[in-house]
Amino acid sequence: MEYLIGIQGQDFVLVAADNIAANSIIQMKQDQDKMFKLSDKILLLCVGEAGDTVQFAEYIQKNIQLYKMRNGYELSPKAAANFTRKNLADYLRSRTPYHVNLLLAGFDETDGPGLYYMDHLSALAKAPFAAHGYGAYLTLSILDRYYRPGGIPRSPSRLFTIPLFYCPPSPLSRFILNLPSFTVRLIDTEGIHDLEKLMPVGAKLLAPAPSS
Amino acid sequence: MALFDVSGYKSHSELRGQIIGTGVGHFIDRPNQQFSVPVGVDPSGFLKSCSREGGVSIDLNHGTTTLAFTFRHGVIVAVDSRASAGSYIASKEANKVIEINPYLLGTMSGSAADCQYWERLLAKECRLYKLRNKQRISVSAASKLLCNMMLGYRGMGLSMGSMIVGWDNKGPGLYYVDDNATRLSGRMFSTGCGSSYAYGVIDSGYREDMTVEEAYELGRRGITHATHRDAYSGGVVNLYHMQEDGWIKVCKEDVSELIHRYRKGMF
């Protein structure tokens, strides 16, 4: 039901997540932010079982911040991804494993942009593009078809995401569940930028959030 | 982290523990007493064996409709009052709203015992917070406390769906907290097995700029129509209004009378 996507560009990473918090058949909240800021240039996108997502993501977030406080420098995206994977793996065979699927996106001064795919069995893979959720079945093939090695250049990146979400027949309009809006963020050498929320044609938001 | 481990540096608390001895260290802010549970006990497995299929039938009280929404003039909270144990109505006038303090309310749905216990514990923690910090606790912090209590007993069969409603420095606050530690802030929630019926009514009738009387009527309508369709909700509608200077209890009306009043428009 939930959906995450990440695409690595030449000097940036573009990530998007849906905004629905659901409880069985009911949408409880339509403006949920599923991205957690680990540092100035690292975002963790987290979906999965109800309480586990926020709890695990906040645990990782606070530990990354603690590392910076103790040592004076931040963890790189690669180190943060491996730290996250280790924590997931440690809990996997315990009484209370965390059932979460993650995307970690970051920009490193030396290595450049990076996108890391992690799943609930604590597999970790660095990938040029990745997606989680049922929507992945519909969108990964488009990425396979149109992605070029070396990443996509910056200016068409916006155009790249638009067919994915916005123009009918967008692939997600094939999905039987309505995902009315998506939060989109871009990470580059200057940090994390909020892009405008994507709202596919025809989608209806209930009780729209106040402008802030 | 890296340098710490390599250098063999011992942190202050470790050294203190070696000098003074473990067991003396006390944590001032330990929110829950830990239940002493024997090793190997599996509460959720035990509960499954007590359900109808397992033989002995212990039905937990699950049926409820509760709703809350924010609007221009505060937050409206409306709950039903039926406590059911399977197909038996254990109480027609159960109290599903806990008045934590004059600025905080908590609603209860799910297992009555779990809700009453944990929300009373939350009330105690809110009071302690006020005594320690000389300042009322924020709605966000109160809901986070409850959420963390639920996290401590994850996977052990707790059943609670609650809304924490209050007014603090940031204005009116409404949070949904449930037994799998979901915590959501929002402008409109409904919980319980009658919640889907209530959502239909309040979603279609909601406007941000409603008058106070219209909001009261919407809350009453939501619960009444849900109790009409849901067998496990009923009794009376308890309606609260959270305002800037605290909550007021607006009314307590029998749903059977309300549904007769609304009948004219229904068929």
Side-chain angles (χ1 to χ4, degrees):
Chain A
M1 323 294 180
E2 300 179 287
Y3 181 68
L4 298 178
I5 183 173
I7 308 172
Q8 180 186 322
Q10 282 176 349
D11 57 352
F12 65 93
V13 189
L14 191 64
V15 288
D18 77 295
N19 289 331
I20 300 296
N23 193 342
S24 95
I25 59 168
I26 303 280
Q27 292 178 4
M28 305 233 28
K29 196 168 145 104
Q30 286 91 25
D31 56 359
Q32 174 82 324
D33 188 0
K34 302 186 187 180
M35 304 192 195
F36 295 84
K37 187 177 155 184
L38 297 189
S39 77
D40 287 334
K41 294 183 190 170
I42 308 181
L43 272 178
L44 181 69
L45 286 73
C46 192
V47 292
E49 202 182 298
D52 290 355
T53 48
V54 174
Q55 219 249 327
F56 183 74
E58 282 186 355
Y59 174 73
I60 299 295
Q61 190 182 45
K62 303 312 170 199
N63 270 289
I64 303 280
Q65 289 166 356
L66 180 62
Y67 185 93
K68 186 183 175 183
M69 278 183 224
R70 278 186 177 151
N71 301 287
Y73 59 92
E74 288 184 332
L75 278 171
S76 67
K78 185 174 172 184
N82 278 284
F83 170 74
T84 307
R85 189 214 72 85
K86 179 80 168 59
N87 270 288
L88 257 181
D90 285 340
Y91 279 99
L92 184 60
R93 291 192 170 89
S94 73
R95 230 177 27 86
T96 56
Y98 288 106
H99 197 282
V100 291
N101 293 314
L102 309 164
L103 285 179
L104 192 142
F107 191 93
D108 192 24
E109 295 307 322
T110 38
D111 296 332
L115 176 68
Y116 295 87
Y117 170 99
M118 248 176 288
D119 74 0
H120 65 276
L121 298 170
S122 76
L124 170 66
K126 185 172 191 299
F129 55 86
H132 277 297
Y134 285 118
Y137 288 93
L138 296 156
T139 48
L140 279 174
S141 55
I142 302 179
L143 291 164
D144 283 326
R145 168 71 179 84
Y146 292 106
Y147 188 84
R148 289 286 158 263
I152 46 175
R154 179 179 286 255
S155 49
S157 72
R158 191 82 179 83
L159 297 172
F160 204 79
T161 52
I162 284 179
L164 277 176
F165 302 105
Y166 195 76
C167 300
S170 76
L172 287 176
S173 64
R174 277 279 186 187
F175 191 29
I176 53 168
L177 297 185
N178 171 37
L179 291 175
S181 75
F182 301 87
T183 308
V184 187
R185 295 207 163 99
L186 184 141
I187 312 179
D188 63 9
T189 182
E190 277 147 36
I192 301 172
H193 307 277
D194 284 349
L195 301 183
E196 62 181 72
K197 259 194 191 175
L198 279 177
M199 284 193 253
V201 173
K204 185 174 181 291
L205 276 178
L206 302 162
S211 51
S212 54
Chain B
M1 282 186 298
L3 199 54
F4 246 108
D5 296 331
V6 162
S7 64
Y9 177 78
K10 283 193 191 135
S11 69
H12 167 76
S13 52
E14 264 182 62
L15 283 170
R16 191 170 182 273
Q18 280 177 0
I19 297 165
I20 298 175
T22 53
V24 176
H26 60 281
F27 297 93
I28 299 172
D29 264 302
R30 178 117 303 183
N32 329 325
Q33 308 92 298
Q34 295 292 310
F35 291 117
S36 332
V37 175
V39 172
V41 163
D42 175 24
S44 47
F46 168 71
L47 282 171
K48 279 198 194 102
S49 71
C50 291
S51 66
R52 204 149 276 149
E53 302 90 48
V56 176
S57 174
I58 300 179
D59 287 316
L60 303 179
N61 304 342
H62 266 114
T64 286
T65 312
T66 70
L67 64 87
F69 57 87
T70 56
F71 70 121
R72 182 169 297 177
H73 304 287
V75 194
I76 298 292
V77 181
V79 302
D80 77 313
S81 69
R82 176 171 293 182
S84 48
S87 56
Y88 172 69
I89 297 178
S91 167
K92 295 183 295 182
E93 298 206 17
N95 187 11
K96 300 188 188 181
V97 175
I98 178 167
E99 298 156 3
I100 296 173
N101 66 43
Y103 291 81
L104 261 187
L105 290 173
T107 66
M108 309 187 201
S109 70
S111 160
D114 282 336
C115 288
Q116 283 174 358
Y117 178 81
W118 292 106
E119 295 197 24
R120 268 205 93 190
L121 195 60
L122 174 67
K124 173 191 136 191
E125 288 303 322
C126 292
R127 178 75 184 129
L128 283 172
Y129 181 98
K130 178 145 189 253
L131 289 169
R132 287 172 186 146
N133 300 285
K134 288 189 182 164
Q135 196 185 346
R136 254 187 278 119
I137 191 171
S138 67
V139 190
S140 172
S143 61
K144 194 80 176 172
L145 277 175
L146 186 61
C147 175
N148 289 338
M149 291 177 202
M150 292 297 109
L151 272 169
Y153 290 90
R154 217 173 114 220
M156 294 199 209
L158 288 184
S159 166
M160 184 198 79
S162 143
M163 293 179 293
I164 305 298
V165 178
W167 197 302
D168 57 23
N169 302 336
K170 297 195 193 97
L174 170 57
Y175 284 83
Y176 166 78
V177 180
D178 78 7
D179 50 83
N180 41 24
T182 302
R183 174 177 165 266
L184 301 169
S185 96
R187 302 165 86 227
M188 186 192 292
F189 290 112
S190 175
T191 68
C193 52
S195 65
S196 50
Y197 305 116
Y199 268 123
V201 172
I202 56 178
D203 274 336
S204 47
Y206 177 85
R207 279 181 0 258
E208 203 272 337
D209 56 354
M210 280 187 289
T211 65
V212 173
E213 275 309 317
E214 284 172 345
Y216 291 166
E217 186 58 16
L218 188 65
R220 269 194 290 264
R221 280 260 182 187
I223 297 291
T224 308
H225 286 285
T227 56
H228 181 62
R229 284 290 179 181
D230 179 28
Y232 297 105
S233 303
V236 301
V237 180
N238 284 309
L239 192 65
Y240 289 76
H241 180 187
M242 178 67 67
Q243 300 165 316
E244 191 165 358
D245 51 357
W247 55 262
I248 53 166
K249 178 150 187 190
V250 176
C251 70
K252 178 179 169 141
E253 292 189 41
D254 194 315
V255 292
S256 38
E257 279 161 37
L258 282 170
I259 203 72
H260 279 289
R261 225 196 293 160
Y262 298 147
R263 265 188 84 202
K264 289 173 215 144
M266 266 171 70
F267 303 110

